[in-house]
Amino acid sequence: MNIQNILLPIDFENAPSNLVHQAAAIARQFHSQIVILNVVTPMSYSAAPLEGSYVPTGREDLLAELIRQARKRLDQCLQPEMEGLPVKRILAQGDPALEIVKASRSEHADLIMMPTHGRKGFRRFLIGSVTAKVLHDSAIPVWTGAHLEAAPSPAFALRRVVCGVDLSPHSRTAVSWAADVAASFQARLTLAHV
């Protein structure tokens, strides 16, 4: 198993500590680099909180300030959790799902790790699911972690791996990859097809 680069897209407001913890554990297991990606979207600057007393003069000025602040936050992001790991930080602008897939290609990612935020029902249809779009458009494995309210245990242990398969030609690769990860952690592998 060769996982050299792990792409970890994050949202500063909702960075799930359990997934960050898992990404660090996977990176340590496979001696991987973590690429932390934050995407500034047009929606994010319509109601984004600004630091200090800065007052933008227009939309372009607001976007430039939000990008400046996002870059500052990204530079400081997750330093304690990623201590001792090679980390690269990228700030992008645009549609989150498209930028995640694009970054996975340009950074030669072997794995994308991203949360599901637990949105259900009508709200999920209104907001859309970045994770679902990335799962559909990505050619590499996507590790999804459920949003957990409780903080993660300091001693991360991977005991079970669930691999979703759709019986397409990509399923063989996904199952092989999941089996290798499960074997690396001596975890139980479950295949799911719905």
Side-chain angles (χ1 to χ4, degrees):
M1 183 114 223
N2 188 16
I3 302 175
Q4 294 180 355
N5 294 302
I6 298 171
L7 181 62
L8 180 62
I10 61 149
D11 171 2
F12 295 126
E13 305 306 319
N14 300 307
S17 58
N18 58 316
L19 189 68
V20 169
H21 191 65
Q22 292 169 14
I26 298 283
R28 285 186 178 93
Q29 175 78 19
F30 294 103
H31 308 286
S32 310
Q33 169 182 259
I34 293 186
V35 179
I36 299 173
L37 172 69
N38 178 253
V39 181
V40 176
T41 67
M43 292 293 287
S44 67
Y45 57 83
S46 62
L50 294 173
E51 296 173 353
S53 60
Y54 177 79
V55 178
T57 58
R59 183 177 165 141
E60 291 79 22
D61 192 30
L62 175 59
L63 177 58
E65 179 61 16
L66 285 171
I67 290 169
R68 187 193 69 73
Q69 289 181 16
R71 181 153 317 280
K72 179 180 170 186
R73 290 175 78 186
L74 188 60
D75 289 342
Q76 301 165 355
C77 179
L78 306 176
Q79 285 181 352
E81 295 88 342
M82 300 296 158
E83 187 174 332
L85 291 170
V87 176
K88 180 177 183 179
R89 290 171 169 82
I90 298 174
L91 180 64
Q93 297 177 55
D95 175 79
L98 292 174
E99 293 302 320
I100 290 167
V101 172
K102 190 164 57 171
S104 73
R105 291 179 186 134
S106 67
E107 295 301 318
H108 307 287
D110 301 297
L111 174 65
I112 301 170
M113 295 186 75
M114 49 190 310
T116 58
H117 288 291
R119 294 184 179 114
K120 295 179 182 161
F122 187 65
R123 185 170 180 211
R124 182 175 182 151
F125 287 110
L126 284 177
I127 295 172
S129 173
V130 173
T131 304
K133 291 176 188 174
V134 171
L135 281 166
H136 182 268
D137 295 345
S138 177
I140 64 170
V142 178
W143 176 294
T144 60
H147 175 73
L148 301 176
E149 295 298 327
S153 163
F156 172 75
L158 184 63
R159 293 186 189 99
R160 290 182 288 277
V161 174
V162 177
C163 178
V165 294
D166 61 4
L167 306 180
S168 71
H170 297 292
S171 291
R172 173 178 239 135
T173 303
V175 170
S176 174
W177 191 91
D180 287 346
V181 169
S184 294
F185 284 92
Q186 297 177 343
R188 186 172 124 206
L189 174 62
T190 301
L191 302 180
H193 173 68
V194 179

